[in-house]
């Protein structure tokens, strides 16, 4: 069943044939370079993320989830800029070309590529210890990108979705498993870790509403910290307002759930700031998009991040 195939066969069979098609691509996979046109009136937003086993995903993560997550993590960066996804490139280093592994990896990768009608425009394939590097390219109308540097005192701080779920799932996988937990909750939380949903439509809607944005890949405190630093401001956030899923709340103490929401990575939600005058527009767009925006704090002139209502916790297993 495990069959070795050659690199060019691999590129043709698994990549070229699934690459998708978009206008503005003059030349896709197959030559020395791709040739691309950025539509008039738009800027090109570009981002790269690498995924390594044991660093960015647990070693026994399924190839489907690895393929999915490699693209999802990159798309999350486009979402945070308010960019519309267009193209991707894929640099793959594989220990060997294993047919079953590749098929599943591609199924995960292309499920997301197709969801956003993107085109895979090139890449590289080499032999070595597993590593996946994806580069994404998106369009944003000139001058409309959401930067980290735009937050102003009095702006309100929001996050999308719920926080801490992926962090719980990672601890669950790494620290050992317990059977008391409800199976639906485990499935939900593992799904949050393995198949994060990049917040593309939210990012697009926020273009004209938010003053600054970032995606939460390293934990809220760290990532909001980047906005504060770039914007040269500070913030107070209310830890009791951090949005928690019921799956998370059901399976751990409030203290630990809040700690995960504040500091665990991998959620790929957005954290953004809005001037108070844009509140009505934000609420309207939340209804239109049917998505969850939660106010968690306010930007202040005084430098630093001040979490209100936090209880210090020592090391504990996250599901107790
Ligand atoms: P070169 O040696 O000129 O860099 P390659 O043989 O590496 O060319 O690649 C041939 C074509 O296949 C190129 O267009 C390249 O972009 C594409 N390609 C190679 N690997 C991948 C990959 N993992 N994903 C997408 N396209 C790829
Ligand atoms: Mg090459």
């Amino acid at each position: 069943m495990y069959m070795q195939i050659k690199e060019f066969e691999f590129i043709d069979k698994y990549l070229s044939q699934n690459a998708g098609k978009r206008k503005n691509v003059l030349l896709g996979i197959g030559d020395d370079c791709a040739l691309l046109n950025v539509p008039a009136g738009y800027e090109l937003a570009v981002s790269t993320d690498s995924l390594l086993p044991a660093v960015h995903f647990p070693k026994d993560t399924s190839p489907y989830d690895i393929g999915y997550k490699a693209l999802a993590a990159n798309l999350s960066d486009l979402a945070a800029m308010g960019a519309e996804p267009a193209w991707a490139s894929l640099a793959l280093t594989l220990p060997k070309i294993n047919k079953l592994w590749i098929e599943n990896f591609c199924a995960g990768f292309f499920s997301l590529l197709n969801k956003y009608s993107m085109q895979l425009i090139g890449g590289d394939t080499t032999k070595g210890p597993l590593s996946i590097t994806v580069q994404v390219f998106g369009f944003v109308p000139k001058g409309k990108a959401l930067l980290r540097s735009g937050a102003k005192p009095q702006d309100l701080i929001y996050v999308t979705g719920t926080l801490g779920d992926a962090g719980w799932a990672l601890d669950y996988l790494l620290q050992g498993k317990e059977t008391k937990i409800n199976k639906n909750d485990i499935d939900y939380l593992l799904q949050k870790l393995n198949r994060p949903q990049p917040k593309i439509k939210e990012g697009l809607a926020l273009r004209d509403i938010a003053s600054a944005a970032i995606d939460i890949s390293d934990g809220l405190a760290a990532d909001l910290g980047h906005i504060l630093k770039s914007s040269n401001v500070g913030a107070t956030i209310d830890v009791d307002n951090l949005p928690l899923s019921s799956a998370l709340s059901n399976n751990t103490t409030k203290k630990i759930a809040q700690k995960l929401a504040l500091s665990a990575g991998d959620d790929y939600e957005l954290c953004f700031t809005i001037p108070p005058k844009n509140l009505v527009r934000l609420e309207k767009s939340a209804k239109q998009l049917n998505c969850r925006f939660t106010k968690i704090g306010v930007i202040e002139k005084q430098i630093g991040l001040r979490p209100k209502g936090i209880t210090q916790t020592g090391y504990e297993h996250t599901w107790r």
Side-chain angles (χ1 to χ4, degrees), residues 7 123-125:
E7 182 194 323
D124 199 19
T125 308

Side-chain angles (χ1 to χ4, degrees), residues 208-211 274-283:
D208 293 314
I209 300 175
S211 48
I274 66 159
K277 69 172 166 54
N278 287 352
L279 192 54
V280 175
R281 286 166 77 192
L282 184 73
E283 281 165 359

Side-chain angles (χ1 to χ4, degrees), residues 7-8 10-11 15-16 28-34 88-92 120-126:
E7 182 194 323
F8 65 88
F10 159 72
I11 294 171
L15 304 175
S16 302
I29 293 177
D31 212 312
D32 295 315
C33 291
S89 75
L90 170 64
L92 263 180
L120 180 66
I121 46 119
D124 199 19
T125 308
T126 50

Side-chain angles (χ1 to χ4, degrees), residues 26 102 105:
L26 307 181
I102 286 294
F105 173 90

Side-chain angles (χ1 to χ4, degrees), residues 199-229:
K199 296 298 177 292
I200 296 291
K201 67 173 193 248
E202 290 83 347
L204 295 178
L206 290 170
R207 267 177 190 167
D208 293 314
I209 300 175
S211 48
I214 192 167
D215 68 318
I216 307 176
S217 53
D218 296 331
L220 173 66
D223 290 319
L224 174 56
H226 295 309
I227 288 187
L228 301 183
K229 191 156 189 271

Side-chain angles (χ1 to χ4, degrees), residues 203-277:
L204 295 178
L206 290 170
R207 267 177 190 167
D208 293 314
I209 300 175
S211 48
I214 192 167
D215 68 318
I216 307 176
S217 53
D218 296 331
L220 173 66
D223 290 319
L224 174 56
H226 295 309
I227 288 187
L228 301 183
K229 191 156 189 271
S230 298
S231 301
N232 196 26
V233 290
T236 295
I237 58 171
D238 190 343
V239 175
D240 285 324
N241 284 347
L242 298 181
L244 305 175
S245 68
S246 54
L248 180 62
S249 300
N250 288 345
N251 291 294
T252 190
T253 63
K254 185 175 162 195
K255 212 161 69 165
I256 293 170
Q258 289 181 335
K259 187 179 160 199
L260 287 168
L262 199 56
S263 57
D266 279 325
D267 282 318
Y268 296 106
E269 297 294 344
L270 299 181
C271 174
F272 59 94
T273 59
I274 66 159
K277 69 172 166 54

